[in-house]
Amino acid sequence: MMNVSSLGDYGSYGSNAVGRGGMSGASDSPSVENIELPGAKAKKEAERKERLGIKDPNQECQTCKNRKYKDGSDEMVSFKSPAHISPESAASAVRSHEQEHVTNAYSKAATGNGKVVSATVSIHTSICPECGRSYVSGGTTDTQIKYYDEENPYQKDLKAADHEKYAGMNLDYAV
């Protein structure tokens, strides 16, 4: 059945469509020419998709079937050895993997007297060259950690200079 909402009540709907009134060009009783065999519509659709180069979205292509994910960092996280992830679950697997990097940054900062200033996760997508489907191709995590070193003489001098600079800057008193 065609989508008649885009055609409105004007114009011809074709020989095998059902209209909502208007000019249909066919009589109320179906003729032999208007009847379609059960498998013919599916066959025509398959031929049209093949002509246009459209693959069946229910079938997984070889490129998607053989795609593997591997972590390239020096941290102890998942995907150290290449592993296949289905395209449907790749997004959640990559997100959870990148979250491992963020968790490691917070652990590293906590053990080294530091503070995580920022943690940014980017999820990357690509288009499969064989089937044309969009898929999650990987991720990147960028973290910045600020470490406090109270034993450093330069840090001590900076703290003393800041004290002289800001001491008495804000004063609250009642009049």
Side-chain angles (χ1 to χ4, degrees):
M1 182 188 273
M2 274 179 88
N3 181 5
V4 293
S5 63
S6 63
L7 296 174
D9 289 334
Y10 312 103
S12 174
Y13 294 105
S15 61
N16 63 348
V18 177
R20 295 183 292 164
M23 299 173 18
S24 66
S27 65
D28 291 341
S29 62
S31 66
V32 176
E33 298 166 1
N34 291 344
I35 298 175
E36 231 178 76
L37 298 174
K41 187 174 182 180
K43 185 177 178 183
K44 281 183 184 178
E45 183 66 17
E47 288 173 356
R48 184 186 72 82
K49 285 182 177 181
E50 185 178 329
R51 215 179 27 239
L52 295 174
I54 300 171
K55 302 278 185 179
D56 183 12
N58 298 327
Q59 293 179 350
E60 190 174 32
C61 71
Q62 288 299 85
T63 305
C64 292
K65 195 178 211 178
N66 296 329
R67 184 173 298 118
K68 295 186 184 286
Y69 293 83
K70 184 179 187 307
D71 179 58
S73 69
D74 56 354
E75 293 183 51
M76 289 306 298
V77 289
S78 59
F79 297 108
K80 285 317 236 176
S81 60
H84 173 72
I85 306 171
S86 69
E88 295 83 21
S89 61
S92 61
V94 170
R95 274 195 306 262
S96 65
H97 169 79
E98 296 304 324
Q99 184 60 41
E100 290 179 46
H101 288 292
V102 173
T103 304
N104 286 349
Y106 275 95
S107 298
K108 185 178 176 184
T111 58
N113 192 21
K115 176 183 175 184
V116 175
V117 177
S118 74
T120 306
V121 175
S122 301
I123 305 296
H124 309 289
T125 59
S126 295
I127 303 294
C128 179
E130 185 177 343
C131 65
R133 280 187 275 190
S134 175
Y135 68 95
V136 173
S137 58
T140 307
T141 301
D142 294 318
T143 56
Q144 292 181 344
I145 302 173
K146 180 179 180 181
Y147 291 101
Y148 301 102
D149 186 11
E150 297 294 330
E151 301 302 317
N152 185 348
Y154 296 107
Q155 185 71 24
K156 288 180 180 179
D157 288 343
L158 182 63
K159 198 172 187 178
D162 282 347
H163 177 67
E164 290 176 17
K165 182 176 170 184
Y166 295 116
M169 185 178 248
N170 298 322
L171 182 63
D172 292 334
Y173 61 93
V175 179

